[in-house]
Amino acid sequence: MTASHFDYQHFLKNTPEDPGIYRMLNSQDSIIYIGKAKNLKKRLTSYFRKTLDTPKTRILVSLIDHIEISVTNTELEALLLEQNLIKKHRPKFNILLRDDKSYPYIFLSNDKYPRLSVHRGSKKSKGEYFGPFPSAGAVRESLSFLQKLFQVRQCENSYFSNRSRPCLQYQIKRCKAPCVEFLDVATYDKDVERTRRVLKGKNQKVIEDLVYEMDQASQALNFEDAAIHRDQISRLRHITSEQAIEGNSQNLDVIAVSTDKNVAVVHLLFYRNGRVIGSKNYYPKIKDDEIQLVMEAFITQFYLDTVDMPSELVLSHSFPDQELVNQSLNKISGKKIKFSTKVKGQRKLWLELAQKNSQQELALRLASNGQQLQRLQRLTEVLNLSAMPRRMECFDISHTAGVNTQASCVVFGQKGPDKQEYRRFNIKNITGGDDYAAMNQALTRRFKNLVNGEGVKPEILFIDGGKGQLRQAKEVLEELEIDGILLVAIAKGAERKVGAEKLFFDGDEFPILLNSNDPALHLIQHIRDESHRFAITGHRNQRAKNYNKSELEVIPGIGQKRRQKLLKQFGGLTALKKASVSDLASIPGISQTLAQKLYDYFQN
């Protein structure tokens, strides 16, 4: 099967035989697939054979409207560029990690007196990053151990720079009070360097240094310092002995992949400094069950921007471009990374554990997907649809007495919630509490983009509300001239009991009631409840954000510097509200006119 509208023969005649990446785009000019190639011409030619390997490839090729290519100097450069573009554009036919949240690191700042802290997000601050860790809890556990051991500060810079005397951390021997210079920079740097070495797994080297310094202190009859070093050595030896039980002191990760029925689970066990610091499941979005492709996609997306690379990856499956990916990790990390698939001893036990976890999680997800499929099939029967819907959307409105109104849109596919497609709309310029106007505005903003060729049209649009809200949805779709969408309003009924929901359809005078045990109703309830949860969460966040604003922020002419100056001069908002016009005008930068405006605002 080939794309009849795409002149691939003419395109291939002009395609170079160089390494590079290619971007396949559809008729809406959206990127649907990004790939790399050692030879662009050969790789792209393989897509247009008479027989293609998988249904996924056949569907992909049928959607191609045009292809863009970028030539690189080497295949390694192509791999790095491919992964950067996949993360940026997230094409629907690429294998994608669904878990997009950033992973926690330990950050050692580059200050005069460096600080240790938990870090998430982009790595823009100057300093060193150690990780990633599977959870913030694992980071906090490590920070607590290091704080007791070397007493490197962990306080915020704003707190640190404004201290005039030591805080409680100094009293309980968790910090040496560099904020008030109770020690010199050189002594503090020794503790920082030891912390750095422990984070890199060089515990034995640190122990040797501490033993030497303990001997030196003993010979100089400085028994207090010797005792401190003795306790540090004892703690480090204890943690090192734990590592000896669990394994050697190197850093390694164990990766196991399981796939079935277009569902994939990657289980990752983290070992840092020879200790198990946790594990985590990942759920790549896939179109087929090719384990090798899932393994390659996971490693490239997860590790190519990792700062602290483990020295070994123990893999449940090898993959075709393993050597190339290995070279890229070596180049980025500046050290040799070992890929292991055939392992013995402790590594084999770890790998078996990871495989068992990935298989169990896959079984659970398949069972959940099976229930989802059953509910969807029943919904198809209830709504008299010709085929199971592939996309369903549900809108809900949330506000507090008409304030901070927000609309939410959740999206469900055949596998359940598609959280990447969720959207929120801040509703503006309506009468407070007018839910009909809010729904009209949200739906207009959502489907106006569809008219402009953006987004995907759902087969079913659920509305959390009654006939009035359903009427708003109908008016919006008619005005935008959009058809082919089934409108369903979900009303809770007079008693607002779960299981007594009434379903209103466009054109029907009376609602239908489903049995409380009906799988179709369970699916509708799930969609409605998820929409309500998403709306409430967004509304509460917006409300908290607005409540946390200073009253001064809403007064024209009062910027950040003036706010800080006013609050500082009067000692807070309470005294500021009681100030006279002359008191306000006496503050540098506050004119008589602005002082009068401030006074009038607070009086009213």
Side-chain angles (χ1 to χ4, degrees), residues 72-89:
T72 59
N73 293 318
T74 64
E75 189 181 5
L76 177 58
E77 289 181 10
L79 172 66
L80 298 175
L81 178 57
E82 176 200 33
Q83 291 309 313
N84 287 334
L85 291 176
I86 287 174
K87 288 184 178 181
K88 179 179 178 181
H89 298 288

Side-chain angles (χ1 to χ4, degrees), residues 26-262:
N26 61 16
S27 56
Q28 284 80 43
D29 211 34
S30 298
I31 298 175
I32 57 176
Y33 187 76
I34 296 173
K36 69 177 184 307
K38 186 176 182 179
N39 184 313
L40 284 168
K41 190 180 188 72
K42 286 184 179 180
R43 182 71 185 94
L44 288 169
T45 300
S46 69
Y47 284 99
F48 301 99
R49 297 175 302 187
K50 290 184 179 180
T51 57
L52 293 173
D53 298 333
T54 64
K56 167 196 168 183
T57 308
R58 290 194 289 272
I59 295 172
L60 169 63
V61 171
S62 70
L63 296 174
I64 297 174
D65 182 77
H66 57 289
I67 299 175
E68 298 174 350
I69 62 173
S70 297
V71 175
T72 59
N73 293 318
T74 64
E75 189 181 5
L76 177 58
E77 289 181 10
L79 172 66
L80 298 175
L81 178 57
E82 176 200 33
Q83 291 309 313
N84 287 334
L85 291 176
I86 287 174
K87 288 184 178 181
K88 179 179 178 181
H89 298 288
R90 304 190 64 78
K92 63 184 295 185
F93 281 90
N94 283 97
I95 295 174
L96 303 171
L97 287 182
R98 293 181 177 179
D99 191 351
D100 293 329
K101 71 178 183 181
S102 58
Y103 302 100
Y105 287 77
I106 289 179
F107 174 60
L108 182 62
S109 70
N110 200 25
D111 300 310
K112 178 181 178 182
Y113 292 101
R115 168 185 179 244
L116 276 177
S117 61
V118 182
H119 176 85
R120 286 186 186 271
S122 58
K123 304 171 185 66
K124 296 180 180 178
S125 301
K126 293 182 179 180
E128 298 176 70
Y129 299 85
F130 302 91
F133 288 79
S135 66
V139 175
R140 285 192 290 270
E141 181 183 348
S142 299
L143 287 177
S144 177
F145 169 73
L146 291 169
Q147 189 179 42
K148 295 174 185 176
L149 194 62
F150 299 120
Q151 301 181 34
V152 173
R153 75 177 182 94
Q154 297 184 17
C155 58
E156 296 281 352
N157 285 346
S158 57
Y159 184 81
F160 176 82
S161 59
N162 289 305
R163 296 298 302 176
S164 58
R165 59 180 181 177
C167 67
L168 179 62
Q169 295 297 319
Y170 173 76
Q171 306 295 337
I172 62 175
K173 301 188 183 303
R174 297 288 185 90
C175 181
K176 295 181 178 178
C179 52
V180 290
E181 298 185 346
F182 273 21
L183 77 170
D184 56 65
V185 175
T187 304
Y188 188 82
D189 284 343
K190 278 188 179 181
D191 292 322
V192 171
E193 179 57 29
R194 287 167 183 157
T195 300
R196 183 183 291 111
R197 286 180 175 178
V198 170
L199 287 169
K200 290 182 177 181
K202 300 178 180 180
N203 294 12
Q204 191 56 44
K205 177 62 177 172
V206 176
I207 289 174
E208 291 172 3
D209 291 345
L210 290 172
V211 168
Y212 174 78
E213 292 194 11
M214 182 178 66
D215 289 341
Q216 292 292 103
S218 298
Q219 291 175 19
L221 304 182
N222 188 351
F223 299 116
E224 186 176 347
D225 285 351
I228 292 173
H229 294 320
R230 178 202 62 203
D231 293 341
Q232 290 175 326
I233 293 167
S234 177
R235 286 174 175 168
L236 264 181
R237 286 198 188 281
H238 177 70
I239 200 69
T240 304
S241 66
E242 288 182 354
Q243 293 169 7
I245 294 171
E246 297 185 30
N248 58 38
S249 60
Q250 74 177 99
N251 294 345
L252 64 88
D253 289 344
V254 183
I255 307 170
V257 177
S258 296
T259 65
D260 191 19
K261 297 181 177 63
N262 292 349

Side-chain angles (χ1 to χ4, degrees), residues 574-593:
T574 302
L576 179 60
K577 289 180 177 181
K578 297 177 181 179
S580 65
V581 176
S582 58
D583 290 335
L584 293 168
S586 67
I587 305 301
I590 304 297
S591 65
Q592 187 71 26
T593 303

Side-chain angles (χ1 to χ4, degrees), residues 95-105 120 131-136 253-259 263-270 272 277-286 294-295 297-299 301-303 306 354 357-359 361-362 365:
I95 295 174
L96 303 171
L97 287 182
R98 293 181 177 179
D99 191 351
D100 293 329
K101 71 178 183 181
S102 58
Y103 302 100
Y105 287 77
R120 286 186 186 271
F133 288 79
S135 66
D253 289 344
V254 183
I255 307 170
V257 177
S258 296
T259 65
V263 178
V265 174
V266 179
H267 188 79
L268 177 57
L269 289 176
F270 294 81
R272 291 297 180 270
I277 62 170
S279 64
K280 192 172 180 66
N281 289 319
Y282 300 87
Y283 310 100
K285 185 178 180 182
I286 64 173
V294 175
M295 180 66 79
F298 176 80
I299 291 175
Q301 292 184 43
F302 186 83
Y303 287 104
T306 298
N357 277 282
S358 68
Q359 290 164 2
E361 182 64 20
L362 178 65
R365 291 185 73 82

Side-chain angles (χ1 to χ4, degrees), residues 417-573:
D418 188 355
K419 295 189 178 183
Q420 294 179 355
E421 295 291 318
Y422 284 17
R423 295 291 182 270
R424 289 192 179 102
F425 302 87
N426 290 321
I427 305 302
K428 302 176 181 178
N429 303 321
I430 66 167
T431 302
D434 189 346
D435 287 357
Y436 291 162
M439 183 64 73
N440 189 293
Q441 183 180 135
L443 292 171
T444 301
R445 288 164 60 184
R446 158 64 180 100
F447 290 103
K448 185 167 62 175
N449 294 332
L450 196 64
V451 175
N452 297 331
E454 301 175 9
V456 181
K457 183 168 73 172
E459 288 95 340
I460 305 176
L461 175 59
F462 290 104
I463 303 296
D464 187 8
K467 295 173 68 174
Q469 292 287 36
L470 184 66
R471 189 161 47 249
Q472 295 298 320
K474 181 181 178 181
E475 290 176 1
V476 169
L477 295 183
E478 287 179 349
E479 183 178 347
L480 296 175
E481 298 181 354
I482 297 174
D483 54 17
I485 300 178
L486 176 63
L487 297 178
V488 183
I490 310 168
K492 293 179 181 177
E495 298 181 1
R496 304 181 71 82
K497 288 176 59 178
V498 175
E501 289 85 355
K502 297 179 180 179
L503 304 181
F504 289 93
F505 294 86
D506 179 26
D508 291 349
E509 180 66 23
F510 300 103
I512 67 169
L513 294 172
L514 297 178
N515 189 290
S516 60
N517 296 323
D518 196 315
L521 180 61
H522 294 165
L523 177 57
I524 292 172
Q525 289 170 341
H526 186 189
I527 296 172
R528 188 270 318 278
D529 292 345
E530 179 67 1
S531 173
H532 191 60
R533 179 201 65 79
F534 189 61
I536 288 292
T537 302
H539 168 66
R540 285 174 177 167
N541 291 340
Q542 183 66 33
R543 184 177 62 188
K545 181 179 177 182
N546 290 340
Y547 284 177
N548 286 334
K549 285 184 178 179
S550 166
E551 288 187 59
L552 294 174
E553 293 185 41
V554 300
I555 304 175
I558 305 296
Q560 182 178 0
K561 291 183 178 179
R562 281 176 174 165
R563 285 200 302 271
Q564 291 175 346
K565 189 176 291 185
L566 285 166
L567 293 171
K568 186 176 181 180
Q569 291 288 334
F570 288 96
L573 194 59

